[in-house]
Amino acid sequence: GAGVSQSPSNKVTEKGKDVELRCDPISGHTALYWYRQSLGQGLEFLIYFQGNSAPDKSGLPSDRFSAERTGGSVSTLTIQRTQQEDSAVYLCASSFRQGGGVYGYTFGSGTRLTVV
Amino acid sequence: GQQVMQIPQYQHVQEGEDFTTYCNSSTTLSNIQWYKQRPGGHPVFLIQLVKSGEVKKQKRLTFQFGEAKKNSSLHITATQTTDVGTYFCAGPAGANNLFFGTGTRLTVIP
């Protein structure tokens, strides 16, 4: 597609429930990133996928968070047993990445998660 | 660990005034990127700087990378209401991702 697509755009869930957030990156972008942004705050790195390499999970805040990327394209971020502190906007980004080259990220519009 | 601080945290300017935000890293950066996030929106990539002392311009925006590659600045000349938003710098964190600065929220008063 023309941009990074995320769904749902908004999600309200009860504390303790599991949620799945979806990201469809730009076609041809090999790198995919998940960040989260709390209200009025900066961006916190969660996880990174690059091609068929093992993902960099170093930013995941707890074992309740997991993510996968199928077929090198669509990614799903899963949060189990949601807590109120998980409320934030979850942003997905993709970029072209080749060798040691660094390229700008294209972000999706995000999923606003509210845990009540 | 990686630290990228931005100052000021907030800036209110009268339309037509200039604006500058500064980004400072505790470590030398191989490159630095700048993003703009409009209120209620998502970050949008503006530019990447790679070379020591590099200066790049985009219309009224001037980006600069310090000689020591530890600091950077974004200067907007004659601000307009369309410049409203939060400006983030971002530097590499390890090999795999970007560490985003704390951001500067710009308000332009018409």
Side-chain angles (χ1 to χ4, degrees):
Chain A
V4 177
S5 178
Q6 289 188 248
S7 62
S9 54
N10 281 285
K11 177 72 176 178
V12 180
T13 189
E14 291 182 351
K15 178 181 172 181
K17 301 280 190 182
D18 297 353
V19 294
E20 280 191 357
L21 313 179
R22 176 189 168 104
C23 173
D24 199 343
I26 290 174
S27 178
H29 279 188
T30 55
L32 185 148
Y33 312 82
W34 283 97
Y35 283 78
R36 74 175 174 182
Q37 187 174 34
S38 300
L39 187 62
Q41 301 299 310
L43 283 77
E44 176 189 5
F45 167 72
L46 297 176
I47 191 168
Y48 159 76
F49 295 91
Q50 167 63 22
N52 296 319
S53 302
D56 178 351
K57 305 179 182 179
S58 59
L60 295 179
S62 79
D63 58 8
R64 296 187 295 106
F65 287 71
S66 62
E68 62 177 18
R69 187 179 185 190
T70 54
S73 180
V74 172
S75 177
T76 303
L77 176 68
T78 301
I79 309 173
Q80 296 178 309
R81 305 181 303 281
T82 51
Q83 303 294 314
Q84 288 186 328
E85 60 263 29
D86 299 334
S87 296
V89 175
Y90 287 81
L91 291 161
C92 175
S94 70
S95 73
F96 181 70
R97 191 167 178 125
Q98 185 174 20
V102 178
Y103 301 87
Y105 292 2
T106 300
F107 281 89
S109 297
T111 294
R112 182 177 298 279
L113 175 66
T114 304
V115 181
V116 297
Chain B
Q2 177 74 44
Q3 292 280 344
V4 179
M5 301 299 295
Q6 279 184 256
I7 54 171
Q9 188 175 2
Y10 303 95
Q11 184 77 60
H12 295 245
V13 299
Q14 227 29 71
E15 188 174 17
E17 291 182 340
D18 292 356
F19 159 76
T20 305
T21 173
Y22 300 89
C23 181
N24 297 295
S25 170
S26 56
T27 59
T28 301
L29 302 171
S30 59
N31 65 84
I32 195 159
Q33 298 183 10
W34 284 90
Y35 291 77
K36 176 184 179 181
Q37 184 174 25
R38 293 180 184 272
H42 56 276
V44 174
F45 174 73
L46 295 177
I47 207 163
Q48 176 178 279
L49 304 172
V50 178
K51 299 176 183 176
S52 168
E54 187 170 16
V55 178
K56 286 189 176 180
K57 293 190 175 184
Q58 290 180 349
K59 297 183 180 178
R60 294 178 296 103
L61 277 61
T62 302
F63 304 84
Q64 192 163 7
F65 202 8
E67 293 290 340
K69 301 183 78 173
K70 283 189 168 183
N71 54 70
S72 181
S73 65
L74 159 58
H75 179 81
I76 303 178
T77 304
T79 54
Q80 300 175 358
T81 54
T82 53
D83 296 326
V84 164
T86 300
Y87 292 84
F88 292 98
C89 62
N96 293 335
N97 67 85
L98 291 176
F99 185 95
F100 283 78
T102 46
T104 296
R105 185 176 300 179
L106 173 64
T107 301
V108 179
I109 304 162

